Amino acid sequence: MSSQERYHEPEQAESQERARVIPLRPRTERTAPSHSAPMRPTPVSPAAKEPLWRDVVGDVLRRERLAQERTLKDVAEAARISMPYLSELERGRKEASSEVLAAGARALGLSLADLLSLAQTELVRYTQHTQHTQHAQPTRPRQGDIRLAA
């Protein structure tokens, strides 16, 4: 084997071992192949970031507890959860399971459906407020969007 042949062999092996790079950005209408349905990018305004579910549910739990003039300790004991955990739920620091949310709701005299309905009302109120303040058009659900109803 000549020195020139040995020189070219590693190059061929190197090019065969190179990894294929796949971009992480979703395809938009401009970059989507013509044979597939175009993907629509989800418009997100930096100023209109939606609240997290745990924040909304926590606000509802706290508001209901305060409206009943009850202490964290009282509600935590009735729900059979720790007082620090209930506090973290109310502050939106923890993602609660459905069982914990149901226990917290029952301790406040609500059903889980009541709690979720109140949270949904808050989300709608927030959405309407941000759309009104930004003079944005209401968004219509796109195919594949999931909407929660209570």
Side-chain angles (χ1 to χ4, degrees):
M1 188 183 295
S2 72
S3 63
Q4 200 170 24
E5 289 174 331
R6 274 187 246 141
Y7 179 74
H8 289 293
E9 279 182 344
E11 273 185 31
Q12 289 174 345
E14 259 183 47
S15 66
Q16 291 172 353
E17 292 177 17
R18 288 187 186 161
R20 193 176 95 171
V21 177
I22 300 171
L24 295 177
R25 284 186 225 131
R27 293 182 175 174
T28 60
E29 291 181 46
R30 184 182 299 170
T31 61
S34 59
H35 59 81
S36 66
M39 293 177 63
R40 287 180 272 169
T42 305
V44 178
S45 169
K49 192 173 183 181
E50 289 189 58
L52 296 174
W53 176 248
R54 66 178 185 242
D55 291 330
V56 176
V57 171
D59 287 344
V60 170
L61 287 171
R62 176 169 283 170
R63 190 173 46 253
E64 288 298 314
R65 180 179 61 79
L66 293 175
Q68 295 177 20
E69 297 179 356
R70 294 175 67 187
T71 64
L72 268 173
K73 183 179 180 189
D74 176 44
V75 175
E77 286 175 356
R80 301 187 65 149
I81 58 178
S82 74
M83 192 172 65
Y85 189 72
L86 178 59
S87 174
E88 288 186 328
L89 288 178
E90 286 186 354
R91 290 182 289 136
R93 302 279 174 109
K94 295 287 183 185
E95 291 278 356
S97 67
S98 59
E99 291 87 359
V100 171
L101 289 177
R106 278 193 308 272
L108 292 166
L110 303 170
S111 69
L112 182 59
D114 293 333
L115 177 65
L116 299 180
S117 178
L118 290 168
Q120 188 259 351
T121 301
E122 287 301 308
L123 284 172
V124 168
R125 185 177 296 136
Y126 175 84
T127 303
Q128 289 172 344
H129 174 73
T130 56
Q131 287 176 352
H132 178 70
T133 57
Q134 294 178 356
H135 305 291
Q137 296 296 319
T139 57
R140 292 185 356 198
R142 295 184 321 238
Q143 182 176 354
D145 279 358
I146 297 172
R147 301 290 175 153
L148 297 176

